[in-house]
Amino acid sequence: SVSCTIYTMSNRSLFIFRSARQCLANTNTRQPVAQAGVRSFATTQQAKTEGVPDSVKRVGKASAYPNEYPGQVYAFNWCLNGDGVTPLRRSAFRITKPLDLKIAGLTPPKKNPLQVKAADASQIPEAGSDNLTFEQFDEVSQRTRDLLSLSDHLYCPEGHVPGTRTSVRVITNSATLAPDILAYLDRAPRKDPPES
């Protein structure tokens, strides 16, 4: 377990995270003042360096968490990770409605719903058949996931297959394909948190 204790040193407060055992072992050298969750620091240069251990001085800039913004949503990124794609460039947009296209910087299609003539099922090879072995399918699938993970932007239109209640998420790095896919899919209720 981690405890948070404030110790006084040179009339300044120091915020230290330590394990409970370390705090108990160090109580004979320093006197704990109070237990706290948040503490502000003095901003003078002398206050920053005077009496502060080197282990605290070497810590870099603090950053605020969560550091989320459009295209960087932790819950959705973990969901994509569950699908085998890790957005390394911190730009993955979940697109469920036309407004999401504008947030992602894409232009909504002029025609909605988009009519698509699907290819005959006999023209699409099935994994495990003579035309496409499982090894070939696994290799291409992993290579595709790797390339998507390294893409600058990921666009993920979600919805129902037209005329059904079957949910679909398409992960693409194509800014021209994503609006058309969203126009093709029926709008589905948004699930929060997202699922993989």
Side-chain angles (χ1 to χ4, degrees), residues 96-148:
T96 58
K97 57 188 179 289
L99 179 61
D100 292 336
L101 288 171
K102 292 179 181 178
I103 291 171
L106 304 176
T107 305
K110 297 190 185 328
K111 189 174 181 187
N112 196 6
L114 184 67
Q115 298 299 320
V116 175
K117 184 179 179 205
D120 188 37
S122 63
Q123 295 176 349
I124 301 170
E126 182 72 28
S129 66
D130 293 336
N131 295 336
L132 181 64
T133 65
F134 284 119
E135 291 80 17
Q136 291 171 328
F137 177 80
D138 290 341
E139 179 185 332
V140 170
S141 178
Q142 186 59 49
R143 189 171 55 218
T144 303
R145 288 184 191 124
D146 292 343
L147 290 173
L148 285 171

Side-chain angles (χ1 to χ4, degrees), residues 47-123:
K48 289 181 181 177
T49 58
E50 185 179 313
V52 177
D54 289 335
S55 62
V56 175
K57 288 181 196 174
R58 65 182 159 84
V59 175
K61 285 186 194 176
S63 60
Y65 287 98
N67 189 15
E68 294 184 336
Y69 47 85
Q72 171 72 3
V73 177
Y74 294 152
F76 185 60
N77 287 352
W78 278 111
C79 182
L80 289 178
N81 198 346
D83 293 333
V85 177
T86 303
L88 298 174
R89 310 286 178 165
R90 297 183 178 152
S91 180
F93 295 94
R94 183 181 185 195
I95 302 171
T96 58
K97 57 188 179 289
L99 179 61
D100 292 336
L101 288 171
K102 292 179 181 178
I103 291 171
L106 304 176
T107 305
K110 297 190 185 328
K111 189 174 181 187
N112 196 6
L114 184 67
Q115 298 299 320
V116 175
K117 184 179 179 205
D120 188 37
S122 63
Q123 295 176 349

